[in-house]
Amino acid sequence: LSAALVACGAGADPEQSSDPVSRPNMVLVSVDCLRADHLGAYGYKRDTSPRIDQLAAQGVRFERCLATTSWTLPAHLSMLTGLPLSGHGVDDDRLWLRKDADGKPVEVPLRGVFVSEVLAQEGYATAGFYTWKYLEPQFGFGPGFDVYERLNHNFYSHPVIGPQFEALRVANDREGMAALAQAHPTLFDDTSPTAPEVVDRALAWLDGERDGDAPFFLFLHVFDCHDPYSPPAPYDKLFDPDYSGTIDGRRVTTPDSPVRKDMAAEDLHHLIARYDGSIRFVDDELGRFLDALDERGLTEDTLIAVTGDHGEEFFEHGRKTHRNQLYLESVGVPLILRWPASLPANTVIAGNSGLVDLMPTFCAAAGAPMSGGTMGIDLLPIARGQQGNGARTYLSELVVFDKGVTPQRLVSIIKGDEQRILAARGKDGWGGVRLDLGSDPLGRGWGSATEDHAVVLERLRGALTRLRVGLPSRQAGEPMSESDLADLAAMGYGGHGEDIEGGGDGERLILDGGVWPDGE
């Protein structure tokens, strides 16, 4: 198990990854909350993704790609560093609230090397355009990018309006806040679309800002599939035009939310239809970007990867949205690679892959040596049929905070078609189940869990410890402020409570129990 986990830690094998085409342009597209099984290329019945399906027909589709967790911040750290949570060290944003016994902030235990850093050292022009707070430099993102820019600002995050709003809020000036909202309505609208702005900004960078002689690495993140599920017309009614109920995709996570386990079947059907409409909206905008690459003559020698950071739940296991569980609806994301000059078309790779494989794949495509370690592998030889897709182990992790209760640690271990989901609280022992994803892709039938989980976890722990020891420590941003917390709460990420006391030496692994105190 441990040998499989640390494969490619020293970098890609140039003999294994050799190809006559070198140093391609590269594009990484991350669609927030994108479930693989809601795309036509993955068998979905609705026509949600014609352009992504076309991309898959022109390239290589990986049958099952696994995220390292079920929420945005640590999943994107994994996507860009090739590390699981216990490798890069970030399991929760509460790490930016911890204080020691003297009330001083505790350093965030972030480690790893970003793919953007490796490619920049290889002479690539690099740019990243993202659309949500959890990808800000405050949380460690941005190293190696020539341009790293947030789009889709709101009234908290906007560099000019944000401080104005905060001053009005502190002064309890309701009239002033209302006037500011009236003057800047899009900043106060949580349904403002993100994909058009990202595509426009990326094309502007390609056409006017990048070094025209250098290959480029472009990272694009869009947020439109996240709740509220409110795509613009006509996408809002595209898949359920005759619905006459009250579900509008909003208030999905509020205390008075109409989105509940016992909601009427037609209401749940419409909620999912709106989510699917959001996917189709993103798909059309992605198509506009792909067309622009064609028009610029960039398609043939550009490696593009389309994926998601995590999935989305619609009560398959009793919960909604994400950041709750580690079943496949939460961690099963698409992975499609297209590189016409070097990869075959219309190819499907059976078995597993993961977000941790993206960094070593991009590095291998550029002929760049890997820095530090990774738990991923170079997927290019597999995509070309030069080697089989072996039964590697993929790890997902999550810490779930319930108010007043010791946080629950969740671990998903997938190898082949077997998924093992384990849970523990505090110092209690691990318990869990085994699921057969081959016979039941969403794992809704419980399996037995009779073997000793401690043996499996100990092997993981040893591999993770060896990996982490060789990784450089990173400087994350400043501790979160009241304004940061309010920004997160505006999108339903509330409940952080008081500042968390507790130390930790920056070497902790989630599998070792962490540093979280009882009752948050």
Side-chain angles (χ1 to χ4, degrees), residues 97 116 127 214 277 362 487 506 514:
L97 294 174
S116 45
F362 281 129
D487 190 359

Side-chain angles (χ1 to χ4, degrees), residues 160-177:
V160 176
I161 305 303
Q164 294 178 18
F165 178 82
E166 180 64 12
L168 293 169
R169 185 188 68 82
V170 171
N172 198 28
D173 185 348
R174 297 184 178 275
E175 291 185 3
M177 287 189 284

